[in-house]
Amino acid sequence: MEFTISSNALSSRLQTLAKVISSKNSLPILECFLFEVNNGSLTITSSDSENMMKSTVALDSNSGEGAFAIQSQTMLDAVRELPEQPLTVVVDTELATIKVIYQGGEYNFTIMGAAEYPKMLTMPENVNVITIDSGVLAANINRSIFATAQDELRPVMNGIYFDLTPDALAIVASDGHKLVRNKNFMVKSDSPAAFILPKKPANLLRSVLGKDGCDVVIKFDGRNAEVTFDEGVLTCRLIEGRYPNYNSVIPVANPNQLTIDRKALLSALKRVLPFGSKSSQLVKFKLDAGSLVISSEDIDYATKARETILCDYAGQKMSIGFKGSSLTEILSNLDSEQVTVELADPSRAGIIVPTEQPENEDVLMLLMPMLLNDAN
């Protein structure tokens, strides 16, 4: 079997698929890529037993068809440093050898049989299906994944929750202190369904999904999901369990509203936060008509900082505390020029929303307050 392929095309696919492979594998074969040549294309597969990703790339030419497994690190090292050029790959399955011929040189190494490689999960019929724009899905994952938890006692909080309802698809993440809820009104279903996507496949998806507007099809049941995108397919095991009622923690009556330039607020936080307590990371907001005073203090080291920002504030005078690092993360994961911070009182969660929402979407982020020693 022989085929020719672009070195850059092969290298980029291998680097993406390598992210699936675990450093500790239950089976030695899982340290390999599976190569399958068929109908003028090369399909490459990688797996860690819970997640499996396939990616297909067109070949420049080929003679013969077949499948083999190849040690992932060996193949990565072989093509990573090559400049863009056609590679000729000659495979002898009987001798279990492969030759990669490039301009000025060649590599020779061994391969393994494909029979031992795990088969990709086949989803049963009558499963739930979501079809969503690839750019929208990538943006939602990017906006949400920072808010997921690392909680061994509550594993359901460690993933991104997809909640399909008759009104919209809500993509949610929370660690109990901060929460992100993205609603997409273009995706809905008369039959409500939900699943929790673990962080690893979520990170894999955001690394491969483009902004080209292609459809992504997600099929899922109670245990597994299959995600089909433009250049391949990903199957993964889902987190099982019941996700908390995220809507119940979102305050609905928030009469005090602050509208402010997002980058200006983010910059002020980054200047003030280093002077606060390293353990609590408490930042105090003092709100009054037309101004926001941000301050932090570390009594143990006798450091403090204070900065005033002009803003549009409609509401009662208020002092409220937030964890500065969490608020910085929230502001960094929004795109709008201005944000609106909706507050009820110093003991209830603050809601941060972009002043201009993405088309057909509703983005909301929430942050629980921290106790202040004084309310001046």
Side-chain angles (χ1 to χ4, degrees), residues 154-224:
R154 294 187 299 169
V156 294
M157 307 296 286
N158 298 341
I160 298 177
Y161 183 54
F162 286 68
D163 187 16
L164 184 63
T165 70
D167 300 320
L169 170 66
I171 298 177
V172 182
S174 177
D175 62 4
H177 301 284
K178 55 184 180 288
L179 177 145
V180 178
R181 186 195 68 188
N182 308 273
K183 275 190 176 181
N184 187 307
F185 298 106
M186 298 298 289
V187 183
K188 58 185 77 173
S189 173
D190 292 333
S191 302
F195 67 92
I196 307 171
L197 184 69
K199 266 184 280 200
K200 182 171 181 177
N203 275 314
L204 289 170
L205 282 173
R206 70 173 180 170
S207 70
V208 298
L209 293 178
K211 299 180 180 179
D212 48 14
C214 294
D215 282 344
V216 177
V217 179
I218 306 172
K219 297 180 180 179
F220 64 96
D221 57 18
R223 292 177 58 100
N224 302 289

Side-chain angles (χ1 to χ4, degrees), residues 4 14-16 25 28 87 89 165 174 178 184 193 218 233 237 259 311 313 338-339 356 367 371:
T4 306
L14 292 179
Q15 288 182 50
T16 298
N25 289 297
L87 303 179
V89 181
T165 70
S174 177
K178 55 184 180 288
N184 187 307
I218 306 172
V233 60
R237 189 171 299 165
T259 301
C311 64
Y313 177 64
Q338 290 192 318
V339 293
E356 293 185 12
L367 184 60
L371 181 66

Side-chain angles (χ1 to χ4, degrees), residues 30 50-51 62 82 86 114 182 185 203 255 285 318 327 351 366:
L30 294 179
E50 290 193 352
N51 306 282
N62 76 289
L82 290 175
N182 308 273
F185 298 106
N203 275 314
F285 278 24
M318 183 189 302
L327 187 55
I351 294 174
L366 174 149

Side-chain angles (χ1 to χ4, degrees), residues 32-49:
C32 298
F33 294 121
L34 175 66
F35 278 41
E36 297 171 282
V37 177
N38 189 28
N39 292 329
S41 63
L42 170 66
T43 300
I44 310 171
T45 305
S46 59
S47 175
D48 65 358
S49 77

